[in-house]
Amino acid sequence: MAGGTAVTKEPASDLFARRFNDAGFAVLAFDHRRFGESGGTPRQVVRFGDQRADWQAAIDFAAGLPDVDPGGISLWGFSLAGGHVFRVAADNPGPAAVIAQSPLVDGRAVAPHALRSMTPLAVLRLFGRAVADALGSLLGRAPLLVPTAGARGTVASLTTPDALDGDRALDPDHRHTDWEQTVAARIALKLGGYRPGLHAPRIRCPLLVVVCDQDQSALPGPAVEAARNAPDAEVVHLTGRHYAPFLDAHEEAVEAELAFLRKHLVRAKDVPGGESRAHAEDDRTCATNDLG
């Protein structure tokens, strides 16, 4: 399990990981390199290829854990990571099932909408900072950071109407004080060309795509279209915006995802060798895998 852009593993997955674990599934949540507790420098830099490699590292790591059936591993990604799992599943015959929640599958479709959510001055300032960041990286300079979300008119990676829902959805009690909600500005130059949904026809395992019908950040249409192109896909529509699965639509999302996992994965209690095993830190159901 992993979240999108700069969302670290606890706010991204805890709410769902607990429920999956209570239902008998072992859970491994991880931070992409350069974020959270994973290593790697420079910090807060998103490189799509590196993050997909981190997914493969997590799959390989999970397959070697005690009491884990290597043939019963499912992937769960949210937002940008929900897009990653399309490509990872297409490139890897190993996963037994994939859940893509509010996935960003087509940057070309999403980018124009995101730009319309910004003021012209904010667009110019963001892309100016992005170019300066990209050029500075060639000279070994530290990344130029921008907030992952902001109000319209601010210089931030995303200023769509639901971008600021993230705090109350993912960290309502302000427990994750180490979660740095910034990202290197150069992502603005790359996101429009990232189209992992194009790989949907090559996904050989069952796929569940959970879309929010009022999503203004990842948009539901591209995800539904990608699901149509996958050989074995289900689509669940939720009422609400990008973070609805963590808010009012949480129970509906959890029940749909658990039903999908029960349908396609071997329950841990049925795996020869014993019970499910939660790899936890501080009584959480999430395990850290340092991918740096």
Side-chain angles (χ1 to χ4, degrees):
M1 301 183 72
T5 315
V7 184
T8 51
K9 61 187 181 303
E10 292 85 4
S13 66
D14 273 4
L15 202 60
F16 285 84
R18 292 191 186 96
R19 299 289 295 274
F20 296 162
N21 194 245
D22 289 345
F25 299 101
V27 174
L28 171 68
F30 70 94
D31 289 322
H32 296 108
R33 71 186 75 183
R34 306 185 188 94
F35 291 91
E37 292 184 295
S38 279
T41 55
R43 305 299 291 175
Q44 305 304 113
V45 173
V46 173
R47 293 177 182 161
F48 303 136
D50 285 351
Q51 292 197 346
R52 293 195 304 269
D54 295 342
W55 275 93
Q56 186 60 57
I59 293 169
D60 295 341
F61 181 81
L65 292 173
D67 301 329
V68 170
D69 174 13
I73 293 175
S74 177
L75 313 182
W76 183 101
F78 168 68
S79 197
L80 179 58
H84 289 336
V85 296
F86 274 74
R87 177 69 182 271
V88 173
D91 291 345
N92 186 331
V98 173
I99 298 173
Q101 180 173 285
S102 304
L104 197 162
V105 300
D106 191 345
R108 184 180 297 178
V110 169
H113 177 77
L115 291 175
R116 287 193 296 271
S117 299
M118 299 179 177
T119 62
L121 179 59
V123 171
L124 290 174
R125 292 176 63 195
L126 174 62
F127 277 90
R129 193 168 182 83
V131 170
D133 180 40
L135 293 176
S137 71
L138 300 177
L139 302 174
R141 294 175 180 168
L144 297 177
L145 304 178
V146 294
T148 52
R152 178 177 169 81
T154 62
V155 180
S157 177
L158 199 62
T159 60
T160 48
D162 50 2
L164 289 175
D165 292 345
D167 271 343
R168 69 186 183 94
L170 304 180
D171 191 19
D173 300 323
H174 306 292
R175 294 186 299 115
H176 306 305
T177 55
D178 294 334
W179 174 22
E180 186 175 344
Q181 298 184 53
T182 62
V183 65
R186 69 194 75 166
I187 193 174
L189 304 177
K190 300 177 180 180
L191 201 57
Y194 190 50
R195 309 184 73 193
L198 294 179
H199 299 273
R202 298 195 294 114
I203 298 176
R204 286 150 286 185
C205 65
L207 168 68
L208 177 66
V209 179
V210 180
V211 299
C212 303
D213 288 336
Q214 289 75 44
D215 191 336
Q216 295 294 302
S217 294
L219 303 182
V224 172
E225 181 63 25
R228 288 196 190 104
N229 293 327
D232 184 6
E234 306 172 35
V235 177
V236 170
H237 289 264
L238 303 177
T239 299
R241 306 200 299 184
H242 188 62
Y243 293 97
F246 298 87
L247 297 167
D248 293 344
H250 179 60
E251 286 301 318
E252 187 177 356
V254 167
E255 289 305 317
E257 292 174 15
L258 280 175
F260 177 79
L261 292 174
R262 292 186 180 112
K263 179 179 178 181
H264 295 291
L265 296 188
V266 177
R267 291 295 301 275
K269 68 180 181 180
D270 297 324
V271 175
E275 302 173 352
S276 72
R277 184 169 183 169
H279 299 273
E281 179 185 17
D282 298 333
D283 295 324
R284 295 193 299 264
T285 59
C286 298
T288 299
N289 185 20
D290 189 333
L291 300 168

